[in-house]
Each structure stands twice: as C-alpha cells, then as structure tokens.
C-alpha cells in the first residue's frame, strides 16, 4: 500500500505523471473513477482549504467521504491515536487523510493501517499536497519549464511545513530557493538566506509568503505582527512593476503577509493555488487509490 507522507515519497517521474493528471482534472467536471471507494478524513488541527479541497476532490472522483469529528471522537476518551486509526482502518476505507499538530503522526499511522495514509499537514514537518499544488501553479504560469527559476520563501520558515515540503520539491525540479526571514524564523540551512527582502527582490521570479505560525511559538517572537509586517509584508510599494508572481498557502494575514493592493493584483496567485489544489488532490487520490 502506498502512502503520501512527504514529497519525496513520490519519484520525479511519478510527480510528472501526477501533474499531467492534475492538468486534465483542471478542465473541470466529474471523473467517477473512485465509485465504491471510501475515504476518511481525520483532522486534529483546523483547516479551511485543505479539508474542503480534499472533500471536493473526492466527490469529483465519485468517492464517498466520511469526516471523523475529532472533538467528539474516542481520542477524547483516552484512546490512543494509533488505536483510533486501527479501528477506523478495520472498517475498510481505501484512504485516511490525516492532519495533526505533531510532526510524525501520519508516518506512525501508516505503519498500522491497510488504507493509504495521506498527510494533510503534520506539525512543522510536511504538507506534501500543498507543495505539489504550488509546483503545479508555478509550472503553469511559466509554461512548464521552471529550471533555474528563483523563488524567495518569506516569513516563518522555521515553523512551516509548507516551506519544508516546497524546499525539497522545488529544488528537485531545478529551482533555486532563497530564504528570507528574521533570525528567529530562519532555519539552519545551506540555502541562500537574507534578513532583508530588498536585497534579493530584483533577482527572483516568485515570492512565496508564509503566515507567522503563532500557534507553534512557545514565546512571543515579535512585539506585534505589525512590527513583523513593517519588515516582511509583501506590498505593492515593494514589488512595484516587477515581473514576478506571488504565492501564499493561506490563511493570509492581510496587510501582515501581503497587502490589500497586492492581494487584488493579477500577479498574486493565491486563488489560483486554491483552485489548483482540487485538481492536484484529485490526481493524488487517483494515484493512491485507483492506479495501485
Ligand atoms: N494552510 C497551511 C498549513 O496548514 C499554511 C498555514 O497554516 O499557514 O500549513
């Protein structure tokens, strides 16, 4: 049984095929290849986009989807997470989509289930479908060839599973990644880094802005988000008329991560990312449940 825990679970050739499927699915419509298949979602952390995106993807493929209401589940009665997953697995689902605040949970569950485990985000570790949809969005914008394109990832990189997954995936596809963050949000890395976005703005094709992951901070790291914004908000004034695109995985802190003017600018691909997320997740479900 194959699982998707991290982007490197899929080879480059597998990802090429997956993105081709996603391209086909992006034309719209239903492709009911997963009729009589059951998918369970198990979300221990909040989600707007990822959960509904997986649900729409599953429905457009004709699968049945069951959401476990974690707040009312037996994990609240002291059952271990592995036992919960094994009990759900005994009901015979084809996939279980898991989000958890602790890194490593989807990997552990995958060692105890027959169903495919799909990681929908685990702590600060990985968010593979987000990175796949980001790659898809970037490739579409640049007409397929992304080798040598330079992307600045800006913000709370140290605590971001989106950054981790994107760094692995985008570099594998030949892109150069530059990390832009204040010292407290900068991970240990061999990649190019800077504390000042103005140092590199003339030399990037893409800016990926990230939300400050306040829920993962043990202490307040900035006097206020406004102080952070004065150094790291991607503004109309900063970007000017440069030929670049702006991505953000959402949820966006408006005027902290990206300003209102730029969010309304056609170079900002946030809603395209959301739309592409459905097509890419359809392709992931097809690969793990149908093509096996
Ligand atoms: N939605 C993304 C995630 O779940 C990014 C974020 O929450 O900032 O990781």
């Amino acid at each position: 049984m194959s699982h998707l825990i991290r982007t490197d679970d899929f080879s480059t050739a597998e990802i090429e095929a997956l993105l081709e499927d996603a391209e086909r699915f992006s034309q719209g419509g239903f492709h009911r290849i997963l009729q009589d298949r059951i998918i369970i979602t198990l979300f221990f952390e909040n989600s707007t986009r990822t959960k509904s995106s997986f649900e729409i993807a599953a429905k457009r493929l004709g699968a049945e989807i069951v959401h476990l209401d974690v707040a009312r589940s037996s994990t609240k009665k002291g059952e271990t997470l592995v036992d919960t997953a094994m009990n759900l697995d005994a009901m015979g689902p084809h996939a279980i989509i898991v989000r958890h605040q602790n890194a490593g949970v989807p990997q552990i569950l995958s060692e105890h289930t027959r169903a495919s485990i799909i990681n929908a985000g685990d702590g600060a570790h990985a968010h593979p479908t987000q990175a796949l949809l980001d790659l898809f969005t970037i490739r579409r914008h640049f007409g397929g060839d992304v080798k040598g394109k330079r992307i600045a990832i800006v913000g709370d990189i140290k605590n971001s599973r989106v950054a981790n997954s994107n760094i692995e995936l985008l570099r594998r596809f030949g892109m150069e990644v530059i990390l832009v963050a204040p010292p407290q949000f900068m991970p240990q890395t061999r990649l190019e880094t800077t504390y000042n976005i103005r140092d590199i703005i003339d030399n990037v094709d893409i800016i990926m802005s990230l939300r400050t992951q306040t829920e993962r901070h043990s202490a307040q790291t900035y006097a206020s988000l406004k102080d952070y914004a004065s150094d790291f908000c991607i503004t109309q004034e900063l970007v000017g008329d440069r030929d670049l695109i702006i991505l953000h995985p959402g949820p966006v802190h408006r005027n902290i991560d990206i300003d209102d003017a730029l969010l309304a600018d056609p170079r900002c691909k946030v809603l395209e990312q959301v739309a592409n997320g459905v097509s890419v997740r359809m392709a992931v479900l097809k690969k793990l449940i149908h093509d096996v």
Side-chain angles (χ1 to χ4, degrees):
M1 180 52 60
S2 40
H3 307 281
L4 176 59
I5 311 294
R6 305 158 48 95
T7 45
D8 53 12
D9 288 334
F10 290 169
S11 69
T12 306
E14 285 176 309
I15 291 171
E16 289 288 359
L18 187 138
L19 297 185
E20 260 175 49
D21 281 341
E23 190 64 52
R24 212 156 31 83
F25 291 138
S26 72
Q27 331 263 294
F30 282 67
H31 303 256
R32 293 191 172 79
I33 55 173
L34 294 188
Q35 261 169 356
D36 305 325
R37 307 295 171 95
I38 293 181
I39 297 168
I40 297 181
T41 66
L42 193 52
F43 274 59
F44 290 88
E45 241 191 22
N46 296 346
S47 169
T48 302
R49 277 149 292 271
T50 306
K51 189 170 172 203
S52 43
S53 179
F54 267 117
E55 180 165 7
I56 291 170
K59 286 187 191 296
R60 281 185 48 197
L61 293 171
E64 301 289 334
I65 190 151
V66 174
H67 301 292
L68 184 77
D69 183 351
V70 166
R72 291 165 207 268
S73 75
S74 290
T75 44
K76 294 279 170 206
K77 296 187 196 166
E79 185 175 66
T80 71
L81 205 52
V82 168
D83 282 330
T84 300
M86 283 169 69
N87 277 270
L88 293 173
D89 193 52
M91 298 178 207
H94 298 86
I96 304 176
I97 302 169
V98 185
R99 167 169 288 192
H100 200 278
Q101 58 278 15
N102 293 336
V105 164
Q107 174 64 44
I108 292 167
L109 300 189
S110 73
E111 289 156 17
H112 295 89
T113 59
R114 281 169 304 152
S116 279
I117 296 290
I118 302 175
N119 182 5
D122 62 329
H125 172 229
H127 194 348
T129 57
Q130 179 68 47
L132 289 166
L133 76 88
D134 290 337
L135 173 63
F136 182 80
T137 304
I138 295 167
R139 291 218 329 180
R140 266 193 144 184
H141 178 79
F142 291 104
D145 188 14
V146 296
K147 272 211 182 68
K149 295 286 177 213
R150 283 170 59 85
I151 180 167
I153 302 183
V154 182
D156 187 359
I157 300 164
K158 198 175 185 174
N159 295 294
S160 172
R161 55 197 177 204
V162 174
N164 277 340
S165 290
N166 266 302
I167 289 169
E168 190 287 314
L169 187 66
L170 301 183
R171 294 186 72 225
R172 187 146 46 109
F173 279 77
M175 296 179 59
E176 287 172 40
V177 177
I178 304 130
L179 305 184
V180 183
Q184 66 272 37
F185 293 163
M186 188 70 86
Q188 280 206 328
T189 181
R190 292 208 188 119
L191 297 173
E192 183 180 341
T193 62
T194 176
Y195 300 144
N196 186 352
I197 189 160
R198 289 175 197 274
D199 288 348
I200 49 91
I201 185 118
D202 286 325
N203 285 312
V204 292
D205 306 289
I206 306 133
I207 296 176
M208 177 180 288
S209 166
L210 299 173
R211 178 180 67 93
T212 305
Q213 309 277 302
T214 42
E215 71 274 31
R216 296 189 218 290
H217 299 163
S218 47
Q220 197 170 332
T221 47
Y222 253 88
S224 74
L225 283 181
K226 275 222 168 94
D227 286 313
Y228 166 82
S230 66
D231 295 331
F232 294 96
C233 185
I234 313 302
T235 63
Q236 182 82 277
E237 182 270 320
L238 172 74
V239 170
D241 58 5
R242 289 181 178 83
D243 181 18
L244 49 77
I245 58 169
I246 295 133
L247 305 184
H248 191 300
V252 175
H253 285 154
R254 251 178 202 271
N255 300 311
I256 305 286
D257 302 338
I258 304 176
D259 75 356
D260 284 337
L262 218 45
L263 279 167
D265 189 295
R267 289 171 294 178
C268 182
K269 303 294 174 193
V270 171
L271 295 180
E272 266 180 59
Q273 288 172 272
V274 176
N276 292 339
V278 174
S279 316
V280 167
R281 291 186 174 107
M282 286 173 79
V284 167
L285 295 176
K286 171 178 176 285
K287 174 170 172 48
L288 292 176
I289 304 175
H290 179 270
D291 298 349
V292 281

